[in-house]
Amino acid sequence: MPYFIETFDKPDHQQVRLDARPEHLAFLEANKALLLACGAKLADDSDAASGGVYLLDVETRAAAEEFIAKDPFTKVGLFADVKISRWRKAYLDGKGYV
């Protein structure tokens, strides 16, 4: 069962995000087999990120928690909050699954 992870950056931590971004992207590349999709949440009027969304193909909440704990953004203390929910794939890439 896939998991949906939503992260929320701490206020005034844009530079922390930018500094850790290369290591974060390398982490995502190394774990791309687990990712259905992921990306930053952006402000309507700029490219400033305020958090992110991950659709993660793992079997347990513990595996989702372990994944986000290893993310370099977590390790540098970027996130104010992280929410993890089970997710049912109904449509992905134009294909129906229900």
Side-chain angles (χ1 to χ4, degrees):
M1 173 69 58
Y3 281 82
F4 172 85
I5 302 173
E6 185 175 16
T7 62
F8 302 83
D9 291 4
K10 292 176 182 173
D12 303 317
H13 273 61
Q14 188 65 29
Q15 192 60 52
V16 173
R17 172 178 278 279
L18 293 174
D19 291 347
R21 189 169 186 265
E23 189 178 355
H24 167 74
L25 293 176
F27 170 79
L28 295 178
E29 179 64 26
N31 289 280
K32 65 184 174 185
L34 300 176
L35 296 167
L36 298 171
C38 67
K41 300 183 301 183
L42 304 177
D44 287 342
D45 59 352
S46 76
D47 286 338
S50 61
V53 170
Y54 306 71
L55 292 177
L56 190 62
D57 192 14
V58 295
E59 294 300 319
T60 65
R61 174 176 294 279
E65 290 169 348
E66 181 181 347
F67 174 87
I68 200 65
K70 291 180 178 177
D71 188 314
F73 281 168
T74 300
K75 292 180 177 185
V76 297
L78 176 62
F79 303 137
D81 194 15
V82 174
K83 296 185 185 292
I84 301 175
S85 303
R86 286 178 57 214
W87 179 70
R88 181 177 333 165
K89 180 172 51 175
Y91 284 88
L92 184 65
D93 288 333
K95 183 177 177 185
Y97 292 89
V98 290

